[in-house]
């Protein structure tokens, strides 16, 4: 377990935390005026490995060789010159911090990144990070890695080892595909219409970029069910209908081993370590497409319900008769920001046909593919 201390005076800034995978939706901007929940689970933190935050440089100010060295293979709006290793945690896990009033205004519905660090150490006043809770952003505290230092906690309860893939099937997270929306300032509160989960849209944005890169410019088929609902419409619209098609299958713990005809495998990432599940046997050479474990789990093992009600105690092995989660009214659309951020970091984007998809992203958004 780790606590974070102020680099200036050594005061504690967090409770004991354990490190987990950085959520794929960490930098997602979702909708307009939407109230998103807390990004991180209590008692956890994650690290952004790439440079993030101020200062930023426009793309035309970045040397192409520098961009390539940083793993960016296509134009982006701006490149961060901030530090690598920014730490993100739940706001409730922060301790001994205060808002900086002159940097805590000028936003839409809450706090954002605009004015620089808006959190300071309560003990010495040293700026340490940002509290984010503006509309359409995930609520979080981001700590500047140069302003804090780590301290292992000897007196804290020992952190259990990471769950195995088998244990994750029993105890791991589940991320439902749909959720109600809450808008800031709305007199109605929660929107009565359920929408696709922002987490699913971000996860699909990353996965779709990998599916296109793995396609080699050929059609791609995905399994029927939620996978087809999430990916197939966009794949059919963005890829040429020239056979033969490449076959993508769901693979991972609890599923049959993919056969040799699987060109692409859609696999989970470990929610604690970020490790990608690797297939064995004939599918070992297939292109792996990552999905967060909670999303992958719902896609691989979709929710099932009884067709008629039951009463009394449920015996083992009998499905509950709870009503299913309401389905969204609209067609699924992947998150365009996450898609773009992923695709520009894949070397395959240098291919003219894939670069054309990236350059026409606004058009594809207007066509409601994203």
């Amino acid at each position: 377990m780790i606590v974070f201390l102020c680099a200036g005076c050594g005061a504690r800034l967090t409770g004991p935390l354990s490190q987990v995978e950085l959520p794929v939706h960490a930098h997602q901007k979702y909708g307009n005026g939407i109230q998103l929940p807390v990004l991180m689970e209590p008692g956890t933190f994650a690290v952004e490995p790439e440079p993030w935050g101020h200062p930023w440089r426009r793309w035309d100010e970045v040397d192409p060789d520098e961009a390539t060295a940083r793993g960016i293979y296509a134009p982006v709006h701006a490149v961060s010159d901030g530090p690598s290793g920014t730490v993100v945690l739940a706001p409730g896990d922060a301790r001994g911090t205060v808002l900086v009033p002159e940097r805590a205004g000028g936003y839409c519905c809450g706090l954002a990144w605009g004015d620089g660090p808006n959190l300071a150490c309560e003990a010495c006043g040293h700026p340490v990070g940002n509290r984010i809770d503006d509309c359409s952003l995930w609520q979080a505290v981001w700590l500047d890695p140069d302003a804090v230092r780590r301290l292992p906690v000897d007196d804290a309860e020992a952190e259990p080892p990471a769950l195995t893939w088998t244990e994750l099937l029993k105890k791991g997270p589940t991320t439902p595909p749909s959720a109600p929306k809450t808008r800031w300032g709305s007199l109605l509160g929660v929107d009565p219409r359920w929408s696709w989960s922002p987490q699913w849209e971000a996860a699909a944005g990353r996965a779709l970029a990998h599916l296109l890169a793995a396609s080699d410019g050929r059609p791609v088929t995905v399994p029927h069910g939620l996978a087809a609902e999430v990916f197939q419409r966009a794949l059919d619209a963005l890829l040429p209908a020239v056979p033969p098609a490449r076959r993508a299958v769901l693979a991972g713990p609890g599923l049959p081993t993919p056969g040799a005809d699987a060109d692409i495998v859609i696999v989970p990432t470990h929610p604690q370590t970020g490790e990608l599940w690797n297939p064995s046997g004939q599918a070992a050479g297939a292109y792996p497409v990552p999905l967060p474990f909670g999303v992958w789990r719902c896609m691989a093992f979709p929710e099932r319900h009884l067709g008629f009600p039951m009463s009394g105690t449920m015996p083992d092995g009998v499905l509950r008769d709870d009503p299913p989660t309401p389905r969204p009214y609209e067609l699924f659309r992947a998150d365009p920001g996450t898609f773009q951020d992923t695709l520009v970091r894949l070397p395959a984007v240098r291919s003219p046909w894939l670069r054309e998809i990236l350059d026409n992203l606004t058009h594809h958004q207007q066509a409601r593919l994203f």
Side-chain angles (χ1 to χ4, degrees):
M1 302 290 284
I2 298 292
V3 297
F4 289 89
L5 310 180
C6 172
C9 68
R12 285 199 178 198
L13 301 178
T14 72
L17 305 173
S18 59
Q19 186 170 355
V20 297
E21 177 189 27
L22 179 72
V24 65
H25 53 283
H27 302 304
Q28 181 185 30
K29 181 174 174 59
Y30 182 76
N32 182 26
I34 304 298
Q35 184 178 2
L36 292 176
V38 173
L39 175 67
M40 302 298 296
E41 291 293 325
T44 68
F45 76 95
V47 175
E48 170 56 80
E50 296 190 17
W52 180 256
H54 293 283
W56 295 85
R57 279 185 292 159
R58 296 182 61 85
W59 178 253
D60 56 14
E61 300 172 342
V62 180
D63 183 87
D65 291 336
E66 178 193 352
T68 301
R70 294 177 59 168
I72 304 174
Y73 304 101
V76 293
H77 176 68
V79 174
S80 172
D81 281 339
S84 303
T86 305
V87 175
V88 62
L89 56 137
D93 285 324
R95 305 284 187 272
T97 59
V98 292
L99 285 173
V100 181
E102 60 269 25
R103 294 179 176 176
Y107 309 106
C108 182
C109 301
L111 304 172
W113 299 90
D115 294 336
N118 62 28
L119 274 186
C121 172
E122 185 178 24
C124 69
H126 184 64
V128 295
N130 281 278
R131 168 73 162 96
I132 306 299
D133 62 8
D134 202 2
C135 60
S136 300
L137 300 177
W138 290 87
Q139 299 183 45
V141 164
W142 293 83
L143 296 178
D144 184 338
D146 297 329
V148 299
R149 58 186 179 90
R150 300 186 184 196
L151 175 69
V153 184
D154 295 331
D155 57 349
E157 183 179 347
E159 184 177 355
L163 298 175
T164 66
W165 289 109
T166 302
E167 292 170 335
L168 278 172
L169 284 179
K170 298 179 180 179
K171 306 176 183 178
T174 298
T175 307
S178 57
K181 284 183 180 178
T182 303
R183 299 184 182 274
W184 280 104
S186 172
L187 297 177
L188 299 177
V190 176
D191 194 324
R193 298 172 302 172
W194 283 54
S195 302
W196 289 102
S197 163
Q199 294 167 260
W200 272 64
E201 293 184 9
R206 181 178 68 176
L208 182 59
H210 281 280
L211 284 167
L212 292 175
S215 72
D216 290 334
R218 291 157 50 189
V220 172
T221 62
V222 296
H224 294 296
L226 276 172
E229 196 168 357
V230 167
F231 297 119
Q232 198 66 67
R233 185 171 69 98
L235 290 171
D236 291 345
L238 297 174
L239 293 172
V242 180
R246 305 205 78 194
R247 180 169 174 260
V249 301
L250 286 161
L255 291 179
T257 302
D261 60 338
D263 305 294
I264 304 166
V265 287
I266 304 172
V267 296
T269 58
H270 197 288
Q272 295 169 292
T273 66
E275 173 193 1
L276 193 67
W277 188 87
N278 291 315
S280 59
Q282 295 175 318
Y287 187 112
V289 172
L291 277 181
F293 183 85
V295 174
W296 173 88
R297 184 177 190 174
C298 283
M299 196 174 286
F301 304 99
E303 183 182 30
R304 294 189 300 160
H305 295 277
L306 293 177
F308 55 89
M310 294 182 64
S311 61
T313 302
M314 291 290 186
D316 292 339
V318 175
L319 298 175
R320 293 186 57 85
D321 61 347
D322 300 326
T325 303
R327 294 302 309 274
Y329 290 96
E330 67 273 11
L331 295 173
F332 185 89
R333 292 186 290 167
D335 181 71
T338 311
F339 172 80
Q340 183 181 38
D341 289 345
T342 303
L343 191 56
V344 299
R345 288 168 171 81
L346 298 178
V349 76
R350 293 164 168 164
S351 302
W353 69 270
L354 198 48
R355 177 64 183 273
E356 184 179 0
I357 292 175
L358 182 65
D359 292 342
N360 290 326
L361 184 57
T362 300
H363 169 74
H364 297 314
Q365 289 181 253
Q366 293 170 345
R368 304 186 71 80
L369 294 178
F370 295 92

